Amino acid sequence: GAGVSQSPSNKVTEKGKDVELRCDPISGHTALYWYRQRLGQGLEFLIYFQGNSAPDKSGLPSDRFSAERTGESVSTLTIQRTQQEDSAVYLCASSLGFLAGHTDTQYFGPGTRLTVL
Amino acid sequence: AQKVTQAQTEISVVEKEDVTLDCVYETRDTTYYLFWYKQPPSGELVFLIRRNSFDEQNEISGRYSWNFQKSTSSFNFTITASQVVDSAVYFCALSGTTGNQFYFGTGTSLTVIP
């Protein structure tokens, strides 16, 4: 597609429920990132996928968070047993990947605004 | 450590004034990239510029200009003759060659008052 797309754009859920957020990267981009942005805060790295390599999960805040990616396409971020502190905008970005010793420019999706009541 | 510092949390200027957003970085890498992103009220992060560590030439794009100085580890962003549409949060970011992460600053919220 023309850009990174994310769905849903907004999600309201009750505490304790599971949620699944989706990201469609730019076609041809091998790298995919998930970030969390709390209200008025900067970006917090969650997880990174590069091709078929094992993902870098070092930013996931707890074992309630997990993410999957099918090949070099769609990714889903799952939050189990949501808590109120999970309320944030979840941003996905994709890039051409880690090429020639550097990380290429990231292009961001519009984000999913998650509200946990 | 890899780190980006944007010391200015919020800036307000009157339309047509010039404004400079500061960015200071720390990195162990000899080759690295610096970025600026704009996040307007709509929320979507928009890529503005990428600069590699070997290129210290300043860049100008319309009303935007960037001053990269390795000696002070800074990559400052100037908007000339600011406009209301420039109101946004601006993020500076760093990526290197020893990892796959981007390191974002905490952002500077710019408000341009008409």
Side-chain angles (χ1 to χ4, degrees), chain B residues 11 14-15 18 20 23 26 29 32 34 37 39 41 43 55-56 59 61 63 71 77 83 86-87 94 100 107 111:
Chain B
I11 301 177
V14 176
E15 199 170 22
D18 299 347
T20 294
C23 174
E26 296 175 31
D29 294 331
Y32 51 90
L34 296 161
Y37 286 86
Q39 188 175 40
D55 184 0
E56 286 194 73
E59 176 131 357
S61 176
R63 296 184 296 106
S71 61
F77 173 30
Q83 300 176 2
D86 296 328
S87 296
L94 164 74
N100 51 43
T111 301

Side-chain angles (χ1 to χ4, degrees), chain B residues 53-68:
Chain B
S53 52
F54 293 112
D55 184 0
E56 286 194 73
Q57 279 193 331
N58 290 333
E59 176 131 357
I60 299 174
S61 176
R63 296 184 296 106
Y64 295 171
S65 62
W66 291 270
N67 183 5
F68 175 32

